[in-house]
Amino acid sequence: MLFLGMDVGTGGTRAVVVDAAGKLIAGASCEHEAFKTAHPGWAEQDPEDWWRAARQAIRLALAAVPEPHEPLRPSGSPARCTAR
């Protein structure tokens, strides 16, 4: 069984494919726009840009998985957003 993991960071989105033992099989990353600061103390990013970067990183990571490969299962933890 293979697992797909994602991480959306401040400057890019990463996708990794690992096996059941946690061994890295493939990975890729894609940059997205940096934070925008329209007002002091604000930090904003466009979720559409996160989604674009996520799709690209997933495609690249999956393309790097050697054939034939086992079924793929998504894996992750809930995202955290903080607002003030």
Side-chain angles (χ1 to χ4, degrees):
M1 177 89 37
L2 297 177
F3 297 89
L4 173 66
M6 298 290 308
D7 175 52
V8 178
T10 56
T13 299
R14 289 160 291 287
V16 295
V17 178
V18 298
D19 66 14
K23 178 183 172 192
L24 178 66
I25 304 299
S29 64
C30 181
E31 291 183 1
H32 50 71
E33 288 184 39
F35 285 107
K36 295 177 185 172
T37 307
H39 303 282
W42 288 24
E44 298 178 337
Q45 286 184 302
D46 182 1
E48 290 296 325
D49 197 36
W50 293 343
W51 180 232
R52 177 203 52 78
R55 289 190 320 262
Q56 183 176 358
I58 290 168
R59 277 194 295 272
L60 291 170
L62 293 179
V65 174
E67 291 288 340
H69 59 79
E70 303 171 33
L72 185 73
R73 302 231 185 224
S75 174
S77 62
R80 304 274 194 274
C81 292
T82 307
R84 291 185 137 179

